[in-house]
Amino acid sequence: MEDSTGSNPQSPGFTEKLKSWLSWSWTYVCFLWFGMVLIMIYVLWSPLKLQETLTSASVFLNTLTPKFYVALTGTSSLISGLILIFEWWYFRKYGTSFIEQVSVSHLRPLLGGVESSSTTGLFSSVNGDAEPRPSHYYSYLCKQGAEYNRYTWVTGKEPLTYYDMNLSAQDHQTFFTGDTQQLRPEDAVMQKAWRERNPQARIRAAYQAIEINHQCAAAYVLLAEEEATTITEAERLFKKALSIGKDVYYFEIFSLCNTAGKDINLLVYIKRRLAMCARKLGRIKEAVKMMRDLMKEFPLLGMLNIHENLLEALLELQAYADVQAVLAKYDDISLPKSATICYTSALLKARAVSDKFSPEAASRRGLSTAEMNAVEAIHRAVEFNPHVPKYLLEMKSLILPPEHILKRGDSEAVAYAFFHLQHWKRAEGALNLLHCTWEGTFRIIPYPLEKGHLFYPYPGCTETADRELLPSFHEVSVYPKKELPFFILFTAGLCSFTAMLAMLTHQFPELMGVFAKAVSGIA
């Protein structure tokens, strides 16, 4: 064992030395190979009768008809056109060139190349600190499988991706059964239920868990989210789950069971869902009270982002003073931000000046202090998530938000605009102020992937994660906008050039024939 472990550090060093030697000698090997080819041609010129071969080839080219050149250029145009179409489709779907990706992934390592260092500072901040990779967390959509099912029935499209549903299954298993070493029989059934992709299979598993134990609150949660066809029915099932969950929790507290932590998570989850049901049913004051009580009782469970639900409900009540109080607590420099916090702060400041704002008047007299504060708040929000304004200004169509959203990504923008567009419309002139000022943010941060202004540089990995979270029929917003890859431009030029040659050869066969013979004669 000692010999094998001792030889491991040497083998990578030898491999690296071999690769560096090959990459260093590659240029000289190419020159040597080229010289050997020239020598071989000189030596074999007479034995292989290469002069006669070239003469016969030139005679063959001179005897070709214009139809051959039409077919040749037409075929070349067709092939390059097909390559162009495939490259364009691949770029629209995956955001990169297929030829470039293959060359970088497979050919470059063989030639001794190294990975580009352009992404080294991708997550570096202005002060040089590294920002962690963006993490996924629950959106504030009151998840209800029936809503997604109705969307599928009406449109024939799947609103959720497999990646999104798989994250939800992992979260349910971790959140509801993560603290137990030995699962109860009904919990084992529910773990299988969360992993099922078929909604009907999940519902059957929930009923199976209830048959095993009528006090299985997690099963009623699943039925409320998957089987209930109305918010009222979902609320009834959540209330039954809450009643069962409280009884089980207090029983386990007094009996000193080790599953109390799991049941706390379940209770918090159910109470949040009940608050969202009350919000959807129009009982907004009741929903606000439930959210406040939940935040006061469990202040450390910030992963559910209950304060963002509270902000949206307070905006619906038009309780702007209470909204400002919540922002004062959570819009702190030491706390993580979100689109909800940044854009709600911008909305409050824009609301104070937007009703009298006029771009013409502002250009003549300049911006007042309040208007400047509003514009700076909008620039701050746009820097955090530049995808939101297009949805608020209805320049892009909205879809149902996914169950998970990515901070600073397009999925977060979809979720925020889905719930907050009505609040921006209610504030007179707020959308007009946003329309006039949001694009000015990009002059402040000309290189957003390298250096930010108020936040970390924009993470370049959001596009890949958003493509997995959002359905395929949605056009993912990309920031900063990517230029077309070289190979798409090259194939487009090649296709256009060969198509032009084919058309000219078809229209002027004799002239193009003389031109082709002249070129072959020169060659």
Side-chain angles (χ1 to χ4, degrees):
M1 290 295 289
E2 291 179 1
D3 294 339
S4 61
T5 56
S7 62
N8 284 341
Q10 298 178 2
S11 55
F14 175 76
T15 306
E16 293 298 327
K17 288 181 179 179
L18 181 62
K19 284 185 177 181
S20 63
W21 182 82
L22 288 175
S23 61
W24 172 80
S25 61
W26 185 256
T27 306
Y28 301 98
V29 170
C30 289
F31 279 115
L32 180 63
W33 178 81
F34 185 69
M36 291 176 62
V37 169
L38 292 179
I39 294 173
M40 186 176 296
I41 292 175
Y42 178 76
V43 172
L44 298 177
W45 186 268
S46 297
L48 294 180
K49 301 179 180 180
L50 294 179
Q51 182 65 39
E52 297 178 4
T53 304
L54 290 175
T55 305
S56 60
S58 61
V59 171
F60 172 74
L61 291 174
N62 289 330
T63 57
L64 291 175
T65 62
K67 292 182 179 180
F68 170 79
Y69 294 108
V70 173
L72 177 64
T73 53
T75 305
S76 302
S77 177
L78 176 63
I79 294 174
S80 56
L82 293 176
I83 295 175
L84 173 63
I85 292 172
F86 175 76
E87 277 283 301
W88 178 255
W89 169 82
Y90 195 88
F91 175 73
R92 297 282 291 179
K93 186 172 179 63
Y94 299 105
T96 185
S97 165
F98 175 77
I99 300 175
E100 182 179 346
Q101 185 180 22
V102 170
S103 61
V104 170
S105 302
H106 302 286
L107 299 182
R108 193 171 185 178
L110 296 177
L111 299 178
V114 294
E115 292 185 1
S116 174
S117 60
S118 61
T119 58
T120 303
L122 195 61
F123 300 105
S124 298
S125 68
V126 178
N127 299 323
D129 300 327
E131 181 189 25
R133 284 181 67 88
S135 58
H136 301 90
Y137 63 96
Y138 269 109
S139 70
Y140 35 78
L141 177 68
C142 182
K143 177 183 179 296
Q144 189 179 7
E147 294 177 350
Y148 294 118
N149 290 336
R150 282 198 299 273
Y151 182 86
T152 304
W153 296 335
V154 173
T155 63
K157 299 176 181 177
E158 289 290 341
L160 297 178
T161 63
Y162 174 72
Y163 178 71
D164 191 14
M165 292 189 291
N166 188 46
L167 285 176
S168 297
Q170 294 175 14
D171 289 340
H172 282 102
Q173 292 176 70
T174 304
F175 206 55
F176 297 155
T177 60
D179 293 327
T180 57
Q181 296 180 352
Q182 291 184 349
L183 292 177
R184 295 172 295 198
E186 63 271 20
D187 290 335
V189 174
M190 289 308 300
Q191 274 208 338
K192 290 179 62 178
W194 300 127
R195 291 195 294 265
E196 287 286 350
R197 290 191 64 182
N198 186 356
Q200 295 302 320
R202 291 196 292 270
I203 293 172
R204 286 195 298 269
Y207 279 116
Q208 182 182 351
I210 292 174
E211 289 178 2
I212 296 174
N213 183 3
H214 291 286
Q215 301 293 312
C216 183
Y220 287 101
V221 169
L222 188 145
L223 292 178
E225 293 181 340
E226 300 285 346
E227 191 182 38
T229 57
T230 62
I231 305 297
T232 304
E233 186 179 354
E235 185 182 38
R236 179 183 62 79
L237 290 169
F238 276 128
K239 285 182 177 179
K240 188 169 185 179
L242 179 63
S243 175
I244 294 172
K246 282 183 177 179
D247 294 340
V248 173
Y249 173 67
Y250 290 131
F251 172 77
E252 291 176 349
I253 287 291
F254 289 118
S255 60
L256 301 178
C257 291
N258 62 347
T259 58
K262 178 206 71 171
D263 292 312
I264 288 179
N265 295 339
L266 186 60
L267 285 176
V268 172
Y269 187 88
I270 295 171
K271 287 182 178 180
R272 177 175 179 264
R273 288 293 190 240
L274 281 171
M276 294 308 300
C277 286
R279 163 68 184 91
K280 284 194 170 186
L281 292 172
R283 304 196 308 270
I284 305 173
K285 291 184 178 179
E286 178 185 344
V288 168
K289 182 180 183 304
M290 294 173 69
M291 293 175 194
R292 289 188 185 278
D293 293 342
L294 199 54
M295 292 168 61
K296 189 179 299 183
E297 188 177 359
F298 304 100
L300 299 179
L301 284 176
M303 63 171 292
L304 294 176
N305 298 285
I306 303 174
H307 61 279
E308 296 187 7
N309 303 132
L310 178 61
L311 284 173
E312 195 278 327
L314 291 173
L315 285 173
E316 183 64 23
L317 289 174
Q318 302 185 41
Y320 297 110
D322 293 335
V323 172
Q324 187 61 56
V326 175
L327 285 176
K329 181 178 180 181
Y330 289 97
D331 194 6
D332 186 80
I333 192 172
S334 61
L335 296 177
K337 301 294 183 293
S338 67
T340 302
I341 290 176
C342 293
Y343 278 90
T344 302
S345 177
L347 174 60
L348 291 189
K349 293 180 180 179
R351 175 179 166 272
V353 298
S354 59
D355 56 338
K356 299 177 182 177
F357 177 77
S358 170
E360 295 79 10
S363 62
R364 287 196 305 269
R365 58 173 170 79
L367 295 175
S368 64
T369 303
E371 289 173 339
M372 183 63 72
N373 291 336
V375 171
E376 288 177 353
I378 290 175
H379 287 175
R380 171 178 178 261
V382 174
E383 181 185 353
F384 182 84
N385 193 318
H387 310 287
V388 173
K390 288 189 176 181
Y391 294 106
L392 292 180
L393 298 172
E394 299 181 89
M395 299 165 65
K396 286 192 69 176
S397 58
L398 277 172
I399 60 170
L400 277 177
E403 292 180 0
H404 289 75
I405 55 182
L406 186 72
K407 281 191 176 182
R408 305 189 74 175
D410 190 35
S411 52
E412 184 188 35
V414 169
Y416 173 80
F418 187 87
F419 292 100
H420 288 259
L421 177 59
Q422 56 183 334
H423 307 313
W424 280 82
K425 288 184 174 180
R426 186 182 295 125
E428 184 181 355
L431 289 176
N432 178 46
L433 179 60
L434 177 68
H435 174 72
C436 296
T437 57
W438 74 279
E439 291 181 329
T441 311
F442 307 129
R443 291 193 293 270
I444 304 173
I445 44 174
Y447 305 104
L449 297 180
E450 300 172 8
K451 184 178 180 181
H453 179 59
L454 297 173
F455 298 100
Y456 290 103
Y458 187 79
C461 61
T462 54
E463 179 189 354
T464 304
D466 277 330
R467 289 185 187 278
E468 294 180 328
L469 286 171
L470 295 168
S472 57
F473 59 84
H474 174 72
E475 183 180 355
V476 175
S477 179
V478 179
Y479 174 78
K481 191 169 183 179
K482 293 183 177 179
E483 296 181 356
L484 288 177
F486 165 76
F487 287 105
I488 289 183
L489 300 175
F490 176 76
T491 51
L494 181 62
C495 177
S496 304
F497 178 70
T498 51
M500 182 182 66
L501 284 181
M503 184 183 66
L504 290 175
T505 307
H506 179 71
Q507 293 293 329
F508 310 102
E510 296 181 359
L511 181 61
M512 294 301 293
V514 172
F515 175 74
K517 290 176 183 179
V519 172
S520 62
I522 295 173

